[in-house]
Structures are given as C-alpha cells and as structure tokens.
Amino acid sequence: MTMTLLRGRLLSFKRAPESLADAASYDYIEDGGLLVDDGKIAAKGDYAAIKATAPADTVEIDHRPHLILPGFIDMHLHFPQMQVIGSYAANLLEWLNTYTFPEECRFVESAHAERIATHFFGELIRHGTTTAVAYCSVHKASADAFFAESLRRNLCMVAGKVMMDRNAPQGLLDTPETGYDETRQIIAEWHGKGRNHVAITPRFAITSTPAQMEAAQALAREFPDLHIQTHLSENTDEIDYTCSLYPEAIDYTDIYARYGLLGRKTLLGHAIHLSDREADALSDASSIAVHCPTSNLFLGSGLFPMKKLMRREKPVRIAVATDIGGGSSYSMLRTMDEAYKIQQLQGERLNPLESFYLMTRGNAEALALDDRIGTLAPGSDADLVVLDAAATPAMALKMEVVKTLAEELFLLQTMGDDRAIAETYVAGKAAKSTLRT
C-alpha cells in the first residue's frame, strides 16, 4: 500500500499538563511530518527528516498552517438520542420520560437504527471525533446497527446495549435473562470485530432491578476486560429515587459497588453530587467520573467539581464527554468551552492545555486504549484531527493577535465548532472531506 505523509504543525500530549508553562507535558513540532502506513502512524518528526526517509511513491498532503492532533474521544453519549437533542424539559427525569424513552422505543426497528447510525457516525466525523463510548437502546437491533456501521467505517468505538427491566415504557424493557443473553450475543458477534469494543451497559440503577444488577455482575465476572458504563449522581431527585429503590445501600455509589461494577474500566456518567465517601470509593476502585458539561447545564443538573475531585488526597479519575442528546453539541470543542465555564463558576481554572489533553490522551488513558489512540506515537492508529483556528471570519480576526500555542488552543475551544475541523482521518484515511452522510 502507498504510504501517506501528512505535513503540518503536530501536537500531542505525553501526560497531563500541570500548568500553562508545562511544556514538558506535550510534544509540539512546528513543521512536522506524520508518515502513515496501513492505518497506523509509521513515523513522526520534523517534516524534512520524515520526508528524507519516506518511500519515493509516498503521497504527500500539506495541511499547513493547521494543527494536527490525535482524533477527539467522546466518553459518554447516547446513539438513539440524535432526534432528542434540543428537547425542552425542566429536569432529567421529565426529559427522560417525555422525550427520550419514547424515542428510544423506535430502535426496535432495524431500518430506523441503521438510518440513525449512518447520521450518527457522520456527525462525529464532522466534529473531529474518532472514538466514542456510546449507549445503544435496549434492543439488540440498535447495537447491531451501531457496530455494523462502525465496522464499515473502520472506527474505534465502544458501545453496549442498555440493560433496563423497570421504570421505563414496556417497549424499552428487557428482563435480567434477556439483558444477559443479548449482551453475551453482542459480545460474541461484535467485540474485537474490526475496531469494535463492547461495553456492559446497565443504564442506571433506577431502570435495573437487583436481579438485573446481578446479571450485569455476572457479565463483568465472565468478561473482566470489557468496559462497564452506567450513570451516577446526575440529579438530586434521581439520587433520592435511586436510593429509595436500594435501601440497603449506603449511597448511590455503594449500589454499584455491591454488585461488583466498580473498577478501572468503569465509566460513570456525570457523578456530579458525590459525598466524600463516594469519591473515596471511586478513587479506591480507579473508576472514572465522566464529565458531561453541556448536558449538566442544559438539564440544570449541577456544576461538576472537576478540579476539586482531581486534587483530593484520593483523586478521582476524570474523563469528558458530550452526552448527546442531553448534551447540546456533538463538538468536543464546544464541550470543553462549557467545561471551562463550569470551573470558572466555582472559582477554578481549566487551562487550554488541560482541555486538549483531556479530549485526546486523557480520554484514551481513561479507556486504557492509549497504546492505540489518543497520541501521535509511532505504532498508534492514525486517527487524527486537523484544526483550523481561522475557520470563520471572527476566528481569523482573533488569530491576527494570537501569539502562543496556548492562546490558539483557547481560541479553538472558545470559538471553534465543526467548521474548525479542516479534516478528520480514520485509520489514516480522510473521512470528513469524503462524507456523504
């Protein structure tokens, strides 16, 4: 296969930045070259050096003056909620019952699930997102449609069929047995096929009986390498209701702990309203609190104390996500703009280096996939995003006075959206410019 040499300004992270001055936390090459071979990064360095060692028939693509980074990673969103986004409601539980659950009932139909899957992945690519962690609906057909489309596009995706056997419309209920059996089938059919990863997905404790939580626990024991995803402490009414359903538990977090669902690969959406005991439990288990800023603001759920959780004596691991369709944008740039504002409201600072670390390597580390995605290291999958900080007239005007890399990143975060994504590469192939849907 012919190799491709991408030229541009290269940026990737080695670890979490400690401050704006922490240049040792990232690798920046002003005139860089990425040599891509068979979907992977074969070499990275100064353009002239990479060019000198590249085969004579290498195809060159010049992205200067744009930035080339690892593709964005979205750690929590709902595939069946594309047509729920922007629905008016007072709070989480009203929003679920009025809009979300009726919409998800439609995913029993394979044709509908397949149509939405096509749009879903198109939208992610348009916004520079190359890996996402998604909830499908309760129906196996929704997971089949998701993974089939992901496989067709050669994307690295994590997803699961939600397990829910109570407190939802009849068309959205499975049973402990069918939730277990269908998840096992999905694992057998899709996990490891192409770049697909299956996650064990009890939606949240409100919609699962103790028997179904035991079924999820059985799956976690049988497949210890799989990710587990669910929701935790998003809304105060949700917390009260959940704890009333599990009166034997100390608190919301303890429910998941009792069923063996906390661990290094456990992704807990929201986790806004945690007690110190709960934060300690997450830290001890190395579980991940997934911050969903646009959703938290849209539904009025609360202000996630990211910095407080990160600097505790027992720090909590953090990831970031859009939470479509409670979230209001597919863009990880817009997501981090809102994350910045949430920290500002709490007297905290989130600098742009931290934001771009979280969207790339940070989220990859949370997934334990940083050996494959989230960096520009040779051997990594060539999932990339090309960013244009002058994509709109207003951004171009601001760029006239931008003097540092951090200022440019902050401009992208503050004013950028899908228009700032000049190109998205999936396993080395241009994907945004070739989108049909």
Side-chain angles (χ1 to χ4, degrees):
M1 293 180 65
T2 303
M3 293 188 186
T4 303
L5 175 57
L6 304 180
R7 187 177 188 181
R9 293 184 296 133
L10 307 183
L11 174 64
S12 60
F13 289 87
K14 304 173 186 177
R15 56 170 170 79
E18 295 175 4
S19 70
L20 269 182
D22 187 8
S25 67
Y26 61 90
D27 185 24
Y28 174 70
I29 304 175
E30 180 68 28
D31 187 7
L34 278 182
L35 189 63
V36 177
D37 182 24
D38 195 22
K40 295 186 179 296
I41 297 172
K44 168 199 166 193
D46 289 323
Y47 167 75
I50 300 298
K51 166 75 171 173
T53 61
D57 63 346
T58 298
V59 174
E60 288 195 39
I61 302 174
D62 192 344
H63 284 296
R64 291 178 299 170
H66 303 333
L67 283 165
I68 303 175
L69 285 84
F72 297 145
I73 301 168
D74 186 344
M75 293 289 285
H76 178 110
L77 74 171
H78 295 260
F79 155 55
Q81 293 180 16
M82 289 195 78
Q83 292 181 299
V84 176
I85 191 170
S87 297
Y88 179 77
N91 55 52
L92 169 67
L93 296 180
E94 178 189 319
W95 180 81
L96 284 171
N97 290 312
T98 305
Y99 302 105
T100 305
F101 288 163
E103 172 61 24
E104 290 192 10
C105 286
R106 300 172 67 197
F107 283 76
V108 68
E109 298 290 342
S110 294
H112 179 70
E114 290 164 3
R115 173 177 177 255
I116 298 300
T118 301
H119 287 282
F120 181 80
F121 290 116
E123 215 51 48
L124 294 186
I125 289 166
R126 191 170 287 112
H127 287 84
T129 298
T130 53
T131 292
V133 185
Y135 289 63
C136 301
S137 75
V138 74
H139 315 101
K140 184 174 180 293
S142 73
D144 290 339
F146 180 97
F147 285 121
E149 186 65 16
S150 171
L151 181 65
R152 186 182 75 79
R153 296 183 191 238
N154 196 25
L155 286 157
C156 177
M157 288 287 153
V158 182
K161 175 203 110 68
V162 298
M163 303 167 69
M164 45 195 299
D165 65 341
R166 67 171 168 182
N167 294 321
Q170 186 60 42
L172 275 187
L173 297 180
D174 57 11
T175 67
E177 295 75 21
T178 58
Y180 171 86
D181 290 342
E182 290 184 345
T183 299
R184 281 187 110 263
Q185 291 171 27
I186 292 163
I187 293 167
E189 294 168 14
W190 294 111
H191 187 67
K193 190 171 185 179
R195 303 169 71 202
N196 286 328
H197 300 259
V198 175
I200 299 164
T201 310
R203 188 188 198 110
F204 63 157
I206 285 176
T207 51
S208 286
T209 61
Q212 184 161 80
M213 297 292 274
E214 289 172 359
Q217 181 177 27
L219 289 165
R221 285 174 176 161
E222 288 179 65
F223 303 99
D225 293 335
L226 264 59
H227 296 92
I228 299 169
Q229 60 176 346
T230 190
H231 295 78
L232 174 66
S233 298
E234 179 176 359
N235 169 285
T236 53
D237 290 340
E238 169 218 4
I239 295 168
D240 292 343
Y241 186 26
T242 303
C243 291
S244 74
L245 295 172
Y246 289 89
E248 72 286 355
I250 302 169
D251 47 40
Y252 199 160
T253 301
D254 188 47
I255 297 169
Y256 297 129
R258 284 170 179 257
Y259 292 100
L261 298 177
L262 297 185
R264 284 193 62 80
K265 287 194 168 184
T266 300
L267 311 173
L268 299 157
H270 307 291
I272 303 170
H273 308 284
L274 300 177
S275 67
D276 283 340
R277 194 216 72 80
E278 290 179 287
D280 284 348
L282 296 189
S283 181
D284 290 342
S286 292
S287 296
I288 297 122
V290 185
H291 181 27
C292 306
T294 70
S295 173
N296 296 165
L297 293 173
F298 180 76
L299 293 171
S301 300
L303 303 179
F304 181 73
M306 177 192 288
K307 289 291 185 169
K308 180 180 176 183
L309 291 172
M310 292 170 74
R311 65 168 176 259
R312 300 176 80 250
E313 184 177 339
K314 287 187 170 184
V316 176
R317 298 172 70 203
I318 304 294
V320 291
T322 63
D323 192 31
I324 297 298
S328 53
S329 175
Y330 293 89
S331 170
M332 290 301 295
L333 296 173
R334 305 272 20 89
T335 294
M336 296 315 297
D337 183 42
E338 298 304 297
Y340 170 83
K341 295 171 189 174
I342 286 173
Q343 295 314 299
Q344 286 286 91
L345 287 169
Q346 298 174 86
E348 305 278 8
R349 302 298 297 276
L350 177 64
N351 77 56
L353 293 177
E354 291 178 286
S355 292
F356 279 80
Y357 161 78
L358 284 166
M359 287 187 281
T360 56
R361 186 183 189 113
N363 277 353
E365 289 173 349
L367 281 174
L369 291 175
D370 49 302
D371 61 330
R372 299 291 303 276
I373 59 174
T375 78
L376 299 182
S380 295
D381 296 343
D383 292 346
L384 312 166
V385 62
V386 182
L387 299 178
D388 176 7
T392 68
M395 292 174 73
L397 190 66
K398 170 65 177 177
M399 272 297 288
E400 291 178 8
V401 296
V402 165
K403 295 180 174 60
T404 68
L405 175 64
E407 288 176 352
E408 182 178 0
L409 296 178
F410 195 59
L411 166 59
L412 281 160
Q413 173 183 307
T414 305
M415 300 180 72
D417 52 27
D418 58 307
R419 294 169 294 180
I421 310 302
E423 186 60 276
T424 305
Y425 286 90
V426 174
K429 294 184 177 179
K432 181 175 181 179
S433 58
T434 59
L435 275 177
R436 290 186 294 276
T437 301

